[in-house]
Amino acid sequence: MDGGGILPRVVVMGVVATAATDLCAVLLRRLGRPTLDYALLGRWIGHWRHAAIGDAAPVRHERMLGWCAHYAIGVGMAGMLMAMPGSTWLRQPTLGAALGFGVGSVLLPFLVMQPAFGAGIAAARAPRPWQARLQSLATHAVFGAGLFAGVAIFAKLII
């Protein structure tokens, strides 16, 4: 493996992949589609548990907390890709494996975030469950593509 170390690569991958999902969210908002308000993520973390996070009292600096958590989760997910048993992905990255991991990471919102925000498992109680599910899948596919782009960007930075 060439220079640079694993941790800086994981950070670049996670930040690039998360930024890619943020660009996707900007596009979705311009198309009139709702996207996650990271202040709610910060509020959820601030309260840690609450039946309906939208009804919970705001917490101090919740928006900043939410954005920091959003990027920390992205970097953590990039680290999970590297930590998978038998992973050679960092030495031989492929777009297919990155997309597969990204799509698989949709389990996090399906099983944790959406239930925590009152939408139920896999957005079952959302006004349009299938629209929410497909949007989550697409966003996480973008995250996977961003992981692949992050590796390429890191390679350019260290050469």
Side-chain angles (χ1 to χ4, degrees):
M1 183 176 301
D2 52 346
I6 290 177
L7 183 60
R9 289 171 195 254
V10 167
V11 170
V12 170
M13 284 172 38
V15 167
V16 168
T18 305
T21 65
D22 291 339
L23 291 174
C24 182
V26 168
L27 175 63
L28 287 170
R29 280 192 298 274
R30 288 190 177 181
L31 293 173
R33 292 273 176 80
T35 61
L36 177 61
D37 178 355
Y38 293 109
L40 289 178
L41 175 60
R43 187 176 303 171
W44 181 63
I45 291 168
H47 285 287
W48 194 241
R49 286 183 282 178
H50 197 279
I53 202 62
D55 297 334
V59 297
R60 190 170 186 203
H61 306 297
E62 66 184 21
R63 187 166 310 281
M64 179 62 73
L65 179 59
W67 276 97
C68 289
H70 172 56
Y71 275 83
I73 291 165
V75 171
M77 294 297 288
M80 286 177 63
L81 175 60
M82 297 301 97
M84 291 177 69
S87 177
T88 60
W89 191 80
L90 197 55
R91 287 188 298 274
Q92 298 172 325
T94 63
L95 180 58
L99 286 173
F101 182 83
V103 168
S105 73
V106 81
L107 291 174
L108 186 61
F110 279 5
L111 300 176
V112 178
M113 298 303 300
Q114 291 167 351
F117 285 20
I121 293 175
R125 291 193 301 258
R128 294 185 191 102
W130 280 103
Q131 183 179 356
R133 292 171 188 143
L134 291 173
Q135 185 169 315
S136 291
L137 282 168
T139 299
H140 283 257
V142 168
F143 179 79
L147 290 170
F148 186 74
V151 166
I153 288 169
F154 187 86
K156 297 288 184 196
L157 291 174
I158 63 165
I159 291 178

